[in-house]
Amino acid sequence: MGLFDKKFCDVCGGKIGLLGNRKLEDGNLCKDCAAKLSPWFNERRHSTLAEIKEQLDYREQNKQAVSAFRTTRSLGKNYKVLLDEDARKFMVTNASKLVDANPDVLDFSQVTGCDLDIEEDRDELMRKGPDGKDISYNPPRYEYSYDFYITIRVNHPYFDEMRFRLNPTSVNTGDRSMAGIGGNVRVAPGSMGIRAGMGANDYQEYVQMGTEIKEALTQARQEIRTEVAAAAAPKTAVKCPLCGATTFPDANGRCEYCGGSING
């Protein structure tokens, strides 16, 4: 086939425009079908047509999970982590219309970890010298800005992490003559305490926001792990105070023979 030969989507059969092809390992995908894939999925070029069709089937099923989702808690502003604590599920999205966006719905048990990363960037401020050229201040002065990222690591068939920025725009903390950390680095939450200035309140707000998301997901995951461990633990036989039988209490703590409460 020539470079400019017409191509057709191997999923929907539609004609693919000149710049609309999304190449697969063994086929072609139009941009409309590609838009239906999970936003956290980034292995398209290394995926087969069969794998893409399988994911698209999953994405169709996910629409039902979105419709059944009942938000009991919302964390974040730009991207939001929505929790359905009754169903023990969550989603991450920046969309206002959930049905249209079809964000992936995950179980709390699929969370394997969560990190808050604070990236610092600094630009040196310069002044004009006698010859009109830019020269450094003495001591050097820098302007600092920060971005706050959450990375949720998950056990999912189509992606292993969900990384998003909490702040819609970088938080600028003004200029300082003290030397900073420099570059894009991971900064310990709370380090802003010695850097109060412009943007300090915004900095602390996003640290608190990120910490709240991390703690909520980590706690939810731990509660499920604790329950699973308790269910798997060997049961101990006890004597029923009502009927005198030796019994293994059920999940509600009742005798398997007479149904009475073991604890009275």
Side-chain angles (χ1 to χ4, degrees):
M1 293 181 76
L3 179 62
F4 297 105
D5 290 344
K6 291 182 179 179
K7 293 183 176 63
F8 295 86
C9 178
D10 289 314
V11 172
C12 70
K15 186 170 66 174
I16 299 176
L18 182 60
L19 301 177
N21 190 29
R22 305 295 185 264
K23 190 67 178 174
L24 303 177
E25 194 171 279
D26 60 350
N28 299 300
L29 190 70
C30 70
K31 63 180 181 180
D32 291 336
C33 287
K36 297 177 183 179
L37 298 171
S38 169
W40 312 109
F41 176 69
N42 57 14
E43 295 293 329
R44 172 184 52 80
R45 291 187 63 88
H46 303 292
S47 299
T48 65
L49 177 61
E51 290 170 337
I52 291 299
K53 287 183 175 180
E54 184 181 75
Q55 183 181 163
L56 290 174
D57 287 341
Y58 146 73
R59 292 286 291 160
E60 280 298 312
Q61 296 172 9
N62 188 74
K63 292 180 180 180
Q64 299 178 9
V66 173
S67 297
F69 195 93
R70 298 293 179 265
T71 301
T72 59
R73 191 177 178 190
S74 176
L75 304 172
K77 290 183 177 179
N78 182 33
Y79 270 87
K80 294 182 179 180
V81 177
L82 304 180
L83 307 180
D84 183 343
E85 295 162 302
D86 297 328
R88 296 184 172 185
K89 298 180 182 295
F90 75 99
M91 63 172 69
V92 179
T93 183
N94 63 351
S96 56
K97 296 182 178 180
L98 298 182
V99 174
D100 293 340
N102 191 25
D104 295 277
V105 178
L106 284 79
D107 295 330
F108 288 161
S109 60
Q110 290 178 267
V111 177
T112 61
C114 186
D115 293 318
L116 167 62
D117 295 323
I118 305 174
E119 295 186 355
E120 177 187 84
D121 186 76
R122 75 174 184 180
D123 293 315
E124 184 176 359
L125 300 176
M126 311 295 284
R127 62 185 179 88
K128 295 294 182 180
D131 57 358
K133 295 182 178 180
D134 290 339
I135 61 174
S136 298
Y137 286 94
N138 187 18
R141 293 171 58 182
Y142 299 91
E143 185 174 65
Y144 291 81
S145 61
Y146 296 87
D147 290 302
F148 305 79
Y149 291 88
I150 285 288
T151 301
I152 305 172
R153 297 187 298 280
V154 297
N155 180 11
H156 193 277
Y158 300 112
F159 51 89
D160 55 18
E161 69 175 36
M162 309 164 80
R163 179 175 170 83
F164 55 95
R165 192 170 76 166
L166 293 175
N167 49 309
T169 58
S170 296
V171 174
N172 192 309
T173 59
D175 66 279
R176 301 186 300 278
S177 60
M178 59 184 289
I181 296 176
N184 285 341
V185 298
R186 185 176 292 189
V187 179
S191 62
M192 191 63 181
I194 61 173
R195 300 177 180 178
M198 286 177 53
N201 290 336
D202 290 338
Y203 184 105
Q204 294 292 2
E205 178 186 2
Y206 286 114
V207 168
Q208 182 178 350
M209 186 184 301
T211 302
E212 187 176 14
I213 290 172
K214 178 179 179 179
E215 291 179 347
L217 291 176
T218 302
Q219 180 179 349
R221 171 179 175 268
Q222 186 56 49
E223 288 176 354
I224 291 179
R225 288 170 62 91
T226 300
E227 291 179 6
V228 170
K235 295 182 179 180
T236 303
V238 296
K239 184 177 181 179
C240 176
L242 299 178
C243 69
T246 299
T247 180
F248 291 94
D250 63 16
N252 296 317
R254 294 187 175 279
C255 174
E256 60 185 316
Y257 299 106
C258 72
S261 174
I262 297 299
N263 296 321

